[in-house]
Amino acid sequence: MHKFGMIALIGPPNAGKSTLMNTYLGQKVAIVSPKPQTTRNRISGILTTDDAQLIFLDTPGIHRLRGKMNRFLLESAWNALASSDAVVVLLDAALYCAKPHLLDKEIAPLVKPVSEAGRPVLVAVNKIDRVKEKDQLLPFMAKLAELWPEAEFVPVSALKGKGTDELLERILEHTPEGPQMFPEDQISTVPLRFMASEIIREKLFYSLRQELPYSTAVEIEEWDEKSREDMVVINAVIYTSRKSHKGMIIGKQGANLKAIGSQARKDIAELIGRKVHLELWVKVREGWTEDPGFLRALGLGE
Ligand code: GDP
Ligand code: K
Ligand code: MG
């Protein structure tokens, strides 16, 4: 029997949703960073095995947010839930073992709305590699089971790939029968050029300090596979909402932008399996996070 299903990955920012998806796909599809809200759009990853195909819907973290863009982030998480066959809720076990009160603040509010969506719920108790006192884990799991009686619990480390096979088996138990929908070498339902723009955004996140990356967006202006036989030529624009940020992104004598560009070029080349020539530009566009037309153009709004 062949199975096909959509699996929503939800949970607070930084729980490890994007990391888990990338671990399953063995390739970087979703951007990962230690900063919350790195995942803006809903990104899907396709896992194809001999007898199943799973579409993982990676979502932005569910938390209280303000502003138009942020409302979109929240909506996209709930939409993923609505179109899924099963939901995996990720949580950072190390965080809640150290600060139990955060469990009530961040996870308890999810129980009712997620359970009411009527999908099977698997809770991936993540980052167990970081739980220092291992004997904390069992009482913690017991507390979780009390909080979320309808859920199944699987301790994992998404980063180290521990417990992830077990989690996958449990996911497959809840995956309906269905035919393979995508070719086996396709890793995402999202176009490559969008994935490339996400890679550039990831490098921005790593290289910029504080709040700055949240006011940036990346648009691929040109994706040329024909002009040059040996490589793909890509032109991308980094938009920022403030003039003062432009200089920070570019850095002294362009050093920062150059570093972002060379790191992104490597990852994009790996993603598409071809050499890449990448040009990055920085443009100021004031108020873009509140501009519905521009957000739509970036795929950040309906
Ligand atoms: P998301 O916001 O839920 O998508 O979380 P990310 O996947 O972006 O991960 C947030 C941070 O947690 C990153 O720095 C990851 O490397 C880290 N992380 C994710 N899973 C694990 C894990 O199992 N163990 C450890 N130690 N770190 C993890
Ligand atoms: K993150
Ligand atoms: Mg993410």
Side-chain angles (χ1 to χ4, degrees):
M1 177 181 68
H2 191 277
K3 292 184 163 192
F4 178 86
M6 314 261 274
I7 313 301
L9 304 175
I10 69 162
N14 280 343
K17 300 176 289 297
S18 300
T19 303
L20 181 71
M21 185 167 95
N22 291 335
T23 294
Y24 281 141
L25 304 186
Q27 195 165 5
K28 208 171 211 175
V29 172
I31 66 173
V32 173
S33 103
K35 293 177 185 160
Q37 213 190 306
T38 322
T39 308
R40 237 174 225 170
N41 298 49
R42 199 169 89 189
I43 298 183
S44 65
I46 305 173
L47 176 65
T48 307
T49 69
D50 285 342
D51 40 25
Q53 190 164 62
L54 296 176
I55 315 298
F56 287 100
L57 306 170
D58 184 16
T59 64
I62 293 182
H63 53 159
R64 246 173 265 277
L65 299 157
R66 262 178 262 128
K68 269 200 188 64
M69 182 173 80
N70 290 336
R71 264 200 305 282
F72 169 76
L73 295 181
L74 194 60
E75 260 167 42
S76 88
W78 292 118
N79 288 343
L81 185 61
S83 50
S84 68
D85 295 297
V87 50
V88 175
V89 178
L90 273 101
L91 55 83
D92 181 339
L95 175 69
Y96 302 128
C97 278
K99 297 180 178 166
H101 66 280
L102 284 180
L103 192 66
D104 296 324
K105 202 174 150 212
E106 297 184 352
I107 302 300
L110 293 180
V111 174
K112 199 165 172 266
V114 172
S115 298
E116 278 176 356
R119 309 286 182 271
V121 178
L122 285 154
V123 176
V125 182
N126 192 27
K127 306 198 190 181
I128 48 164
D129 59 294
R130 282 192 50 221
V131 178
K132 292 201 185 75
E133 311 283 331
K134 295 291 177 208
D135 54 359
Q136 284 184 338
L137 211 54
L138 279 180
F140 176 67
M141 302 270 290
K143 197 176 163 194
L144 277 174
E146 212 171 286
L147 184 71
W148 208 325
E150 301 91 350
E152 294 172 44
F153 299 89
V154 186
V156 300
S157 168
L159 190 66
K160 314 261 181 208
K162 271 211 181 114
T164 47
D165 287 346
E166 159 84 16
L167 178 63
L168 188 61
E169 273 172 34
R170 305 282 280 273
I171 291 171
L172 285 167
E173 283 169 18
H174 295 291
T175 306
E177 202 178 331
Q180 184 174 321
M181 305 285 268
F182 297 92
E184 60 185 29
D185 59 351
Q186 193 174 334
I187 55 164
S188 178
T189 60
V190 159
L192 281 179
R193 56 191 286 157
F194 172 73
M195 287 164 72
S197 73
E198 287 287 287
I199 287 172
I200 298 166
R201 224 159 57 75
E202 177 183 62
K203 304 310 172 196
L204 273 166
F205 265 91
Y206 277 117
S207 78
L208 299 176
R209 258 165 292 141
Q210 294 154 6
E211 298 303 300
L212 214 141
Y214 301 106
S215 64
T216 61
V218 175
E219 186 180 36
I220 306 289
E221 283 210 321
E222 191 192 357
W223 183 289
D224 178 359
E225 305 201 353
K226 297 213 175 80
S227 306
R228 302 205 32 186
E229 218 170 84
D230 56 333
M231 60 177 70
V232 179
V233 177
I234 301 169
N235 275 314
V237 181
I238 298 168
Y239 287 100
T240 172
S241 55
R242 296 215 206 118
K243 264 200 197 102
S244 59
H245 289 168
K246 187 173 169 177
M248 292 166 78
I249 294 170
I250 293 171
K252 262 200 192 117
Q253 291 170 327
N256 200 44
L257 192 62
K258 213 169 153 190
I260 292 170
S262 90
Q263 290 160 9
R265 180 178 49 75
K266 264 193 221 139
D267 279 12
I268 297 169
E270 195 177 314
L271 173 75
I272 65 182
R274 284 186 68 183
K275 271 195 182 164
V276 167
H277 176 80
L278 176 65
E279 297 258 7
L280 292 179
W281 311 88
V282 184
K283 289 185 187 167
V284 178
R285 189 175 175 119
E286 277 167 36
W288 73 263
T289 58
E290 297 296 323
D291 176 346
F294 187 65
L295 288 173
R296 218 168 16 249
L298 291 172
L300 285 170
E302 308 286 305

